[in-house]
């Protein structure tokens, strides 16, 4: 009885009621705080990763657009300011990607469209001058209070040298990126931050007042300090307002920025407080009564499951054969039993498949090296008893590598399958054709009519003729050859010695010009 699940549930419930509400209060509170903290951290991490991908896609789309546009700037327009300005305005009208304008400057910072100069000490100018697409420092546009993001890419001459810079300014507010972030508030007081560590700047925030403001100094928020130096992950921290929160940090690869998804601990763990209040209001006898009733109900509900578990246990011990369990009721336990029966059927199917795969080549379906050794052992033992000869033919395809390199692996696989089919059509039911390597086959035959050597050589020639027939491939017909090494034995040799001798003879056949066979001395 002590091992019964039902008994243990009832006893445990009574003990919990006896120990009292206080013990439940502290234990459940600690457990839920830990579990809920981990769950919230995982949710925040998922949210930060999602927003990071969203922001990264936003930036990559614009950088890609700018890079493509840079390759299309007519070089002749670089010396024609008015025509260049008209060309840029036309592109701006066709695509709203850079609604705050496009411009071109030379490497000294002089705008080639005649609109003045740019700051050559700006980060986007320096990066683009060095030959890479670069983001600038986010800033506020005058008058609109919109968040603007300058970007720059190099314009190269046909030799690949940077001869000018294409600069564009995206309006993150008008594009809806910041609105999207502000709609991503978690709970009532949670939020998202987009941080540029290089600029020590909050690029965007669900709290609009924090957008484009400096990040806090070192020592105010320890998790933020770690994030600024490369940490990515989640943890608890105290923010600049002195509020304890759970935060997760994820990188935006294209910009060096990172995303912070944060939620105050008080809000995250609010369910724990509600649970504590509930426990304090309940009485221990009520808990005990409910647990007893649950135990009785579970005894009835789990009876089919207990019976099924007992039968499954006997199957695992080998006391009864593997067989489907009886489905008693069409409920969750019945569904579980049905799923077990399906799993058992798949297990039996996979066992049969594994037994087949353990002894057969997956491409051609021929026996593999392991099954070949087993059959060769049997044939050698029979030959020794009946005083017969066993022949081992070691076949290696000629021209297979050229076919594979010319027409691809799919054609090579087709050639191997066709070769296997042709060889199988030449042998008797008692013979064995196996594939033991990439383009290497072994044919084992016995019970030859006298003289055995003539019959074996005739079989080898049949193999050569069969393989030499052209293969019908998708684009052309292709012919291959085969070199064969042959060895005979009266059953006194080992499989390893036979295969080694046949392999050696096969290499001799290749050295003799390929497309032929060599008969090794008989092994006894």
């Amino acid at each position: 009885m002590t091992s019964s699940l039902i008994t243990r549930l009832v006893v445990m419930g009574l003990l919990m009621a006896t120990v009292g509400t206080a013990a439940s209060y502290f234990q459940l509170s600690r457990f839920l705080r830990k579990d809920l903290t981990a769950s919230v951290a995982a949710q925040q991490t998922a949210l930060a990763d999602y927003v990071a991908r969203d922001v990264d896609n936003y930036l990559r789309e614009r950088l890609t657009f700018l890079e493509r546009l840079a390759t299309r700037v007519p070089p002749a327009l670089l010396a024609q300011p008015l025509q260049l300005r008209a060309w840029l305005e036309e592109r701006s009208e066709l695509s709203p990607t850079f609604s705050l304008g496009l411009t071109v400057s030379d490497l000294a910072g002089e705008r080639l469209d005649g609109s003045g100069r740019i700051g050559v000490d700006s980060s986007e100018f320096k990066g683009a001058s060095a030959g890479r697409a670069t983001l600038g420092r986010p800033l506020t546009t005058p008058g609109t209070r919109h968040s603007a993001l300058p970007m720059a890419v190099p314009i190269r001459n046909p030799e690949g040298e940077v001869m000018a810079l294409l600069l564009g300014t995206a309006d993150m507010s008008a594009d809806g990126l910041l609105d999207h972030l502000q709609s991503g508030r978690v709970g009532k007081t949670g939020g998202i931050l987009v941080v540029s560590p290089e600029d020590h700047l909050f690029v965007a925030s669900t709290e609009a007042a924090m957008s484009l403001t400096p990040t806090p100094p070192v020592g105010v928020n320890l998790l933020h300090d770690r994030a600024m130096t490369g940490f990515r992950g989640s943890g608890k921290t105290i923010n600049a307002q002195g509020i304890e929160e759970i935060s997760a940090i994820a990188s935006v690869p294209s910009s060096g920025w990172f995303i912070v998804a944060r939620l105050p601990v008080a809000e995250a763990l609010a369910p724990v407080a509600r649970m504590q209040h509930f426990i304090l209001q309940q009485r221990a006898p009520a808990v005990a009564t409910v647990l007893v009733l649950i135990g009785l109900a579970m005894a009835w509900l789990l009876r089919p499951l207990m019976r099924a578990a007992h039968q499954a246990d006997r199957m695992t011990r080998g006391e009864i054969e593997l067989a489907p369990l009886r489905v008693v009721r069409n409920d969750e336990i019945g569904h579980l039993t049905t799923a077990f029966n399906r799993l058992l059927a798949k297990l039996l199917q996979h066992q049969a498949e594994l037994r087949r795969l353990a002894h057969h080549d997956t491409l051609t379906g021929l026996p593999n090296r392991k099954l070949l050794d087993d059959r060769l052992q049997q044939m050698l033992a029979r030959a020794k008893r009946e005083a017969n000869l066993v022949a081992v033919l070691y076949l290696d395809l000629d021209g297979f590598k050229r076919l594979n390199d010319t027409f691809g692996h799919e054609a090579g696989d087709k050639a191997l399958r066709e070769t296997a089919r042709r060889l199988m059509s030449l042998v008797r039911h008692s013979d064995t054709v196996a594939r033991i390597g990439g383009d290497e086959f072994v044919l084992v035959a016995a019970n030859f009519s006298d003289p055995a050597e003539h019959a074996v050589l005739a079989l080898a020639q049949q193999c050569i003729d069969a393989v030499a027939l052209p293969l019908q491939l998708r684009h052309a017909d292709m012919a291959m050859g085969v070199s064969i090494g042959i060895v005979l034995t009266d059953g006194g040799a080992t499989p390893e010695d036979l295969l080694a001798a046949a392999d050696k003879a096969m290499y001799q056949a290749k050295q003799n010009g390929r497309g032929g066979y060599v008969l090794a001395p008989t092994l006894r």
Side-chain angles (χ1 to χ4, degrees):
M1 289 294 291
T2 56
S3 62
S4 168
L5 178 62
I6 306 302
T7 302
R8 283 185 289 174
L9 284 173
V10 173
V11 172
M12 184 181 299
L14 294 173
L15 289 176
M16 289 175 61
T18 302
V19 170
T21 305
S24 300
Y25 178 90
F26 290 111
Q27 292 293 332
L28 289 176
S29 297
R30 185 174 61 179
F31 168 79
L32 285 179
R33 288 182 68 89
K34 179 179 178 182
D35 188 72
L36 196 57
T37 298
S39 177
V40 170
Q43 292 174 358
Q44 295 297 93
T45 299
L47 177 61
D49 289 338
Y50 168 79
V51 175
R53 287 193 300 269
D54 198 22
V55 174
D56 193 62
N57 290 337
Y58 172 89
L59 298 176
R60 287 183 185 276
E61 287 175 359
R62 280 147 182 78
L63 285 174
T64 301
F65 172 84
L66 205 60
E67 288 174 334
R68 290 176 180 173
L69 189 61
T71 63
R72 298 174 184 173
V73 175
L77 294 186
L78 298 180
Q80 304 175 37
L82 295 179
Q83 290 84 345
L84 178 59
R85 183 183 301 175
W87 189 88
L88 292 173
E89 290 175 352
E90 179 182 354
R91 270 53 188 182
S92 296
E93 294 174 357
L94 291 175
S95 173
T97 305
F98 291 96
S99 58
L100 297 181
L102 294 166
T103 186
V104 176
S105 76
D106 59 19
L107 299 184
E110 187 71 30
R111 296 182 190 263
L112 299 181
D113 58 0
S115 57
R117 291 181 58 83
I118 61 172
V120 296
D121 58 342
S122 61
S123 59
E124 70 272 16
F125 184 92
K126 292 181 179 179
S129 298
R132 63 180 184 273
T134 311
L135 299 178
R137 179 184 176 90
L139 46 87
T140 302
T141 58
T144 65
R145 299 295 297 173
H146 282 195
S147 296
L149 180 63
M151 305 179 185
V153 296
I155 300 175
R156 301 179 185 273
N157 60 22
E159 290 74 30
E161 299 172 343
V162 179
M163 60 179 180
L165 308 179
L166 176 62
L167 300 98
T169 304
D171 189 339
M172 293 188 290
S173 300
D175 291 344
L177 177 65
L178 301 186
D179 294 338
H180 178 63
L181 296 179
Q182 290 168 3
S183 66
R185 179 182 298 277
V186 180
K188 297 180 179 179
T189 56
I192 297 171
L193 295 172
V194 183
V195 184
S196 172
E198 181 179 356
D199 301 316
H200 292 274
L201 185 72
F202 291 121
V203 178
S205 171
T206 48
E207 298 180 15
M210 291 185 64
S211 298
L212 299 180
T213 61
T215 58
V218 176
V220 173
N221 186 327
L222 299 183
L223 188 61
H224 172 80
D225 295 344
R226 294 175 62 195
M228 295 289 282
T229 58
F231 170 78
R232 300 296 179 264
S234 62
K236 282 185 179 181
T237 187
I238 297 177
N239 63 22
Q241 289 75 39
I243 300 173
E244 186 179 20
E245 59 186 20
I246 300 173
S247 299
I249 301 101
S251 294
V252 181
S254 61
S255 62
W257 298 351
F258 63 83
I259 304 297
V260 181
R262 54 183 188 157
L263 183 66
V265 172
E267 183 175 351
L269 302 184
V272 177
R274 292 194 295 270
M275 182 275 303
Q276 292 170 338
H277 182 69
F278 173 80
I279 291 177
L280 292 174
Q281 288 183 334
Q282 303 307 307
R283 295 179 299 168
V287 175
T289 301
V290 170
L291 287 175
V292 170
L293 293 176
I294 291 175
L296 295 175
M298 290 187 66
W300 178 77
L301 290 172
L302 297 180
R303 184 164 46 187
L305 180 61
M306 306 289 278
R307 187 183 302 115
H310 177 66
Q311 287 183 268
D313 185 52
R314 292 185 64 193
M315 290 181 194
T316 59
R317 293 200 300 265
E319 297 177 2
I320 58 176
E321 294 184 357
L322 296 177
L325 300 174
R326 186 168 67 94
V327 179
V328 178
R329 295 195 301 261
N330 186 26
D331 57 7
E332 287 80 359
I333 295 176
H335 296 165
L336 178 62
T337 306
T338 302
F340 174 83
N341 291 338
R342 289 198 299 267
L343 182 63
L344 180 62
K346 286 189 177 182
L347 175 63
L348 295 174
Q349 179 183 350
H350 288 168
Q351 285 179 338
E353 182 66 17
L354 287 174
R355 285 194 294 270
R356 193 189 72 81
L357 291 176
H359 296 88
H360 291 81
D361 172 49
T362 56
L363 177 63
T364 62
L366 295 177
N368 59 14
R369 181 63 175 265
K370 182 177 181 181
L371 184 55
L372 172 66
D373 289 342
D374 292 342
R375 292 189 179 179
L376 192 51
Q377 289 279 14
Q378 297 172 11
M379 296 177 74
L380 291 175
R382 189 181 307 115
K384 204 167 187 180
R385 289 195 308 269
E386 300 174 359
N388 291 328
L389 290 178
V390 174
V392 176
L393 287 72
Y394 201 113
L395 302 87
D396 187 272
L397 298 180
D398 300 326
F400 176 76
K401 185 178 185 302
R402 180 167 59 89
L403 181 149
N404 211 31
D405 293 342
T406 303
F407 298 100
H409 294 296
E410 183 178 348
D413 292 345
K414 180 179 180 181
L416 293 173
R417 287 193 293 267
E418 178 63 17
T419 300
R421 187 193 66 78
R422 294 179 184 181
L423 294 177
M424 285 296 297
S425 69
L426 301 177
V427 300
R428 300 161 298 181
H429 181 71
S430 59
D431 299 335
T432 295
V433 177
R435 181 183 176 215
I436 62 171
D439 59 347
E440 296 178 336
F441 298 82
V442 170
L443 192 157
V444 183
N447 299 323
F448 293 100
S449 58
D450 293 330
E453 289 188 3
H454 291 173
V456 171
L457 297 182
L459 176 60
Q461 188 60 49
Q462 290 176 1
C463 294
I464 293 173
D465 295 340
V467 174
L469 294 174
L471 287 166
Q472 294 182 350
L473 302 177
R474 182 183 303 176
H475 302 293
D477 291 348
M478 181 74 181
M480 295 188 304
V482 63
S483 298
I484 306 176
I486 310 169
V487 63
L488 289 166
T489 181
D490 59 1
T494 65
E496 291 79 9
D497 292 340
L498 287 171
L499 291 174
D503 185 29
K504 184 177 180 181
M506 180 273 294
Y507 278 106
Q508 184 61 47
K510 282 191 176 290
Q511 293 176 357
N512 291 346
R514 302 177 182 244
Y517 55 79
V518 169
L519 177 63
T522 301
L523 295 182
R524 301 184 184 277

